[in-house]
Amino acid sequence: MQWQDHAIILGVKRHGETSVIVEVMTRDRGRHLGLVRSGRSRAMQPVLQPGNAVEIIWRARLDEHLGEFRVEPVTLRAARLMETATAVYGVQAMGALLRLLPERDPHPHLFDALEVILDHLHNPADAGELFVRFELAVLNDLGFGLDLAECAATGARSDLAYVSPKSGRAVSRSAGAPWADKMLLLPPFLGVDGNHAADFDSLAAAFRLTGFFLHRHVYEPRGMEASAARDGFVQAALKALNPALRTLSGPNGVSA
């Protein structure tokens, strides 16, 4: 059996003396593993780095086998991704998110989003906003999508200020006011008009929002914790927007 696809390197594991097992996100076949012979050679090591875009040919006798990859470089961005903390942590954090999905399950929109984000990780504000949207997309593909388009109580599509922690649906400012202390904030840049750019406060609220639902619906039921890379990315993105910030922590998001 054989197929060819565009892919992004997610991770590499040593196999034997000279080979490696490469994990990639492909556009049409989802997250996939394959053996690369001589993958530890000087020629291949710079290619097989997380974040790089490659063209792969996969071959195996049967579909259920691990199979072998033949890899050709397309966009070698790994060196640039080592230049900022948001990029270093962002690549790892998105890989961890994609590992929540079943192997070989196609998610072409996530592949396209991954490519866009990798080209914007050097800008903390853009990277943070795109990463939050990526987390929302992963939640949706796992069956836990949030409904942020209209108020759960009134059906209104304007002045949406909160998200119900129970239903994952947006709530307008007036309808949610009596229970504001129990609601999650809906960052303006995630609103239906999409006319707001992320700033420090809205980005921090967005990380709390996605962190809360990832913990409730994904990590806790699976007995997992959020990846350390996510915490590193959150801290790096927010610190870049507020250099005076010293420490951020918390299992579901951030706290100053």
Side-chain angles (χ1 to χ4, degrees), residues 140-168:
N140 187 68
D141 282 20
L142 289 169
F144 306 110
L146 307 186
D147 182 358
L148 307 180
E150 63 180 32
C151 176
T154 66
R157 298 176 64 86
S158 61
D159 200 26
L160 302 177
Y162 307 105
V163 177
S164 166
K166 292 184 178 180
S167 68

Side-chain angles (χ1 to χ4, degrees), residues 72 89 156 170 178 193-194 205 214 231 233 242 256:
E72 295 292 336
Y89 288 119
D193 57 17
L214 281 166
D231 292 339
F233 177 82
N242 183 0

Side-chain angles (χ1 to χ4, degrees), residues 119-134:
D119 288 332
H120 289 81
L121 282 176
H122 61 284
N123 184 316
D126 289 345
E129 180 174 342
L130 290 169
F131 183 84
V132 165
R133 295 185 184 279
F134 190 78

Side-chain angles (χ1 to χ4, degrees), residues 16-151:
E17 293 296 322
T18 61
S19 300
V20 295
I21 294 176
V22 179
E23 180 184 30
V24 299
M25 182 64 180
T26 68
R27 192 177 194 286
D28 297 325
R29 292 170 176 81
R31 188 171 56 86
H32 211 290
L33 302 177
L35 178 72
V36 176
R37 298 192 183 277
S38 300
R40 296 176 60 199
S41 67
R42 289 185 178 181
M44 290 305 299
Q45 283 187 12
V47 176
L48 302 179
Q49 296 295 320
N52 283 344
V54 296
E55 196 73 21
I56 59 171
I57 296 175
W58 179 83
R59 293 190 181 96
R61 190 170 64 86
L62 297 175
D63 184 62
E64 59 266 26
H65 288 177
L66 173 65
E68 294 185 17
F69 283 151
R70 194 172 113 198
V71 181
E72 295 292 336
V74 175
T75 305
L76 301 184
R77 56 169 71 90
R80 180 165 55 85
L81 292 174
M82 297 297 292
E83 294 176 357
T84 63
T86 50
V88 170
Y89 288 119
V91 173
Q92 300 174 46
M94 287 188 291
L97 284 167
L98 291 170
R99 292 183 188 104
L100 298 173
L101 300 165
E103 189 181 344
R104 304 189 181 190
D105 191 14
H107 297 267
H109 58 291
L110 290 181
F111 175 87
D112 293 340
L114 179 62
E115 280 213 304
V116 171
I117 299 173
L118 288 172
D119 288 332
H120 289 81
L121 282 176
H122 61 284
N123 184 316
D126 289 345
E129 180 174 342
L130 290 169
F131 183 84
V132 165
R133 295 185 184 279
F134 190 78
E135 288 189 315
L136 289 172
V138 171
L139 274 168
N140 187 68
D141 282 20
L142 289 169
F144 306 110
L146 307 186
D147 182 358
L148 307 180
E150 63 180 32
C151 176

